[in-house]
Amino acid sequence: MWAVLNPEIVKASEEKLMGVEGCLSIPNLVGEVERHASIQVKGLNRHGKPMKIKAEGWLARIFQHEIDHLNGVLFSDRATRVWQPPQEIEPEQEV
């Protein structure tokens, strides 16, 4: 688990990747969002000391998603397409 106070993306790769994202802030919707493949984030740790994190892949996507929230941006604002995924059918319970 990461705890980063005042996170800021200070470097981002030119390479971007499309991926499907969802969010608890917008239930029952997912969307295709383009994000940087790798980033570097600076901020403060839980003790107030400066820190930097190099993130790539899924972790880079998560940091970008969460930092967007801090800036008032939702994944749907960046999505090229948004849709409702099919509802999962729960298996029948045995009695």
Side-chain angles (χ1 to χ4, degrees):
M1 176 190 279
W2 292 97
V4 184
L5 304 171
N6 300 322
E8 178 185 344
I9 297 171
V10 292
K11 288 185 183 177
S13 65
E14 288 186 28
E15 179 186 7
K16 293 185 176 184
L17 302 170
M18 289 296 284
V20 176
E21 295 184 19
C23 184
L24 295 173
S25 298
I26 310 174
N28 303 317
L29 286 180
V30 295
E32 288 181 338
V33 181
E34 185 177 58
R35 300 278 189 189
H36 295 280
S38 62
I39 60 170
Q40 186 174 18
V41 177
K42 77 171 187 175
L44 303 175
N45 69 16
R46 63 189 183 126
H47 303 290
K49 303 287 186 196
M51 64 182 293
K52 283 188 180 178
I53 300 166
K54 292 181 181 178
E56 54 187 45
W58 191 241
L59 183 59
R61 179 171 294 277
I62 292 167
F63 269 111
Q64 290 169 86
H65 177 108
E66 297 304 332
I67 290 170
D68 273 354
H69 274 296
L70 296 174
N71 294 318
V73 177
L74 298 174
F75 83 90
S76 57
D77 297 325
R78 296 193 183 276
T80 57
R81 182 170 80 99
V82 176
W83 69 94
Q84 271 191 312
Q87 294 293 325
E88 291 186 27
I89 300 172
E90 292 187 28
E92 292 183 32
Q93 294 180 4
E94 292 184 31
V95 178

